[in-house]
Amino acid sequence: MTICFLGVLLALSGCKVQSPPETANHTAHRAAPMPAATASAEKQPVNINVGAQLPPKVRGLLIQEMQAILGATQAIQAAIVQGDHETVASKAQAIHDSFIMDQQMTAADKQALLAAVPDAFLERDKAFHEISAQLAQAGRDRDTKHELRQFSEMVDGCVACHTQYATARFPGL
């Protein structure tokens, strides 16, 4: 089972994730996104500190992946304002395909991660990866307006996830 928990990583570093519509590029290892229309306050999980619930190795892998995502996000921002669509596409695709955790986690590590995170967290993670896939496509299409929209959604997703799942790490959110 391929696991890419960008949302966990984002939670450890401070990002929120809004759920985008499903795309054909959806991968089986991610949970379904939570539609914004049904994300009512009473259905939202209580803010939690996911990182504190993880074994040190898993937490370290999450942080490593989050740092890679942060670097790619910074490169995407620069590329958008420079009209460098190829970089937007490649960096966004790298975020979508980020599998540091999957490549380095044992079955026990994956179980510990799944035991620590709520289903809503997995939904946010999937939504984040879908947004990054859409951003990559916008770059391939050389569509700056769509790049800007998807990039904004991606960053909003980072903030939303960090607000909900990394409250101790990012108390200012």
Side-chain angles (χ1 to χ4, degrees):
M1 174 177 165
T2 303
I3 297 179
C4 180
F5 290 98
L6 176 59
V8 172
L9 297 176
L10 294 174
L12 294 174
S13 67
C15 288
K16 289 186 184 181
V17 175
Q18 291 181 341
S19 301
E22 286 290 319
T23 67
N25 294 335
H26 156 133
T27 53
H29 70 280
R30 297 186 182 108
M34 181 173 50
T38 62
S40 65
E42 60 269 11
K43 292 182 181 180
Q44 295 293 322
V46 176
N47 292 353
I48 60 172
N49 182 14
V50 169
Q53 300 176 36
L54 298 173
K57 176 187 174 190
V58 175
R59 185 173 187 276
L61 290 171
L62 291 174
I63 290 170
Q64 181 183 352
E65 190 162 317
M66 292 300 278
Q67 289 172 340
I69 290 166
L70 176 60
T73 300
Q74 291 168 335
I76 291 167
Q77 180 186 20
I80 290 172
V81 300
Q82 295 168 0
D84 181 356
H85 303 288
E86 292 77 20
T87 297
V88 172
S90 68
K91 296 295 184 179
Q93 191 65 50
I95 290 172
H96 177 267
D97 298 340
S98 59
F99 298 118
I100 292 171
M101 290 178 46
D102 187 51
Q103 294 168 3
Q104 298 180 22
M105 287 178 59
T106 65
D109 293 336
K110 290 176 186 178
Q111 286 300 92
L113 178 62
L114 291 173
V117 300
D119 289 344
F121 178 87
L122 300 176
E123 291 170 357
R124 285 188 179 277
D125 175 64
K126 182 190 181 304
F128 180 86
H129 285 278
E130 293 301 326
I131 292 168
S132 65
Q134 293 168 12
L135 177 56
Q137 186 59 51
R140 288 187 289 273
D141 293 344
R142 305 179 65 78
D143 184 344
T144 303
K145 288 176 79 173
H146 193 214
E147 288 172 350
L148 287 167
R149 282 191 307 271
Q150 294 310 119
F151 184 76
S152 178
E153 281 190 44
M154 194 173 76
V155 173
D156 285 349
C158 294
V159 175
C161 191
H162 291 176
T163 299
Q164 193 160 8
Y165 298 110
T167 55
R169 188 168 178 98
F170 304 104
L173 292 176

